Amino acid sequence: MTPKITAEQREALNQYPGPVVVEDEENHRKYYLVDPTIFDGLQAQLDLEAARRGIADLEAGRMFPLDEAIADIKERLKRTPQ
């Protein structure tokens, strides 16, 4: 399902190039309307930063073997209330 934007939302998107904040009148939660090209650019920045952090961890020796990581995850899942 793809909800359709209102005329008011369209006008706001045309007037302002960045994200537009919209509020649900029932529960007062706020959401962002954003052009896909802006969203893709933000996602690319987040991905790049995550890669940089991973490389920094690798270079600093903050790593351990995959089998240890899997064992750690399994142990944490056992302790998580279901």
Side-chain angles (χ1 to χ4, degrees):
M1 172 173 110
T2 303
K4 305 300 180 196
I5 64 172
T6 67
E8 180 183 24
Q9 293 165 341
R10 183 178 306 104
E11 183 179 340
L13 287 165
N14 288 334
Q15 288 181 1
Y16 181 69
V20 172
V21 179
V22 294
E23 183 177 343
D24 184 323
E25 291 178 348
E26 288 184 18
N27 61 22
H28 303 288
R29 288 182 64 185
K30 293 184 179 169
Y31 300 90
Y32 293 92
L33 294 178
V34 62
D35 184 276
T37 55
I38 294 171
F39 179 83
D40 292 344
L42 293 171
Q43 187 61 55
Q45 288 177 7
L46 291 172
D47 293 345
L48 181 58
E49 181 55 34
R52 287 181 176 147
R53 284 193 313 269
I55 291 169
D57 285 344
L58 179 67
E59 290 174 344
R62 294 185 298 263
M63 60 184 170
F64 46 94
L66 180 60
D67 57 339
E68 288 181 31
I70 291 172
D72 181 61
I73 291 169
K74 286 180 180 179
E75 183 61 33
R76 289 178 191 211
L77 288 173
K78 286 180 191 176
R79 291 182 271 160
T80 303
Q82 307 243 350

